[in-house]
Amino acid sequence: MADKRFQTIYSQGTINVVEILLDTETGVQYLFHKDGYSGGLTPLLGSDGKPVLN
């Protein structure tokens, strides 16, 4: 079986979920937030405005 492209490197909560996902191909980290039936995904950005890399 092939490795998963995205890995969860941080997770908090059950109903209000916050996760940090790592794209193993690019090294970019993403913030995922879910609250009930809605959610969103965005890249984590550093103070310089560039994506946070692992």
Side-chain angles (χ1 to χ4, degrees):
M1 178 178 211
D3 291 331
K4 293 182 180 180
R5 179 170 178 173
F6 292 95
Q7 295 179 347
T8 301
I9 58 174
Y10 176 82
S11 183
Q12 170 184 309
T14 53
I15 296 174
N16 295 325
V17 177
V18 175
E19 293 181 339
I20 297 179
L21 306 173
L22 171 64
D23 182 341
T24 59
E25 289 187 16
T26 65
V28 175
Q29 294 180 14
Y30 294 88
L31 176 69
F32 173 71
H33 181 263
K34 180 177 81 167
D35 187 356
Y37 292 109
S38 62
L41 179 72
T42 187
L44 284 176
L45 302 177
S47 59
D48 58 358
K50 294 181 182 178
V52 174
L53 302 177
N54 191 18

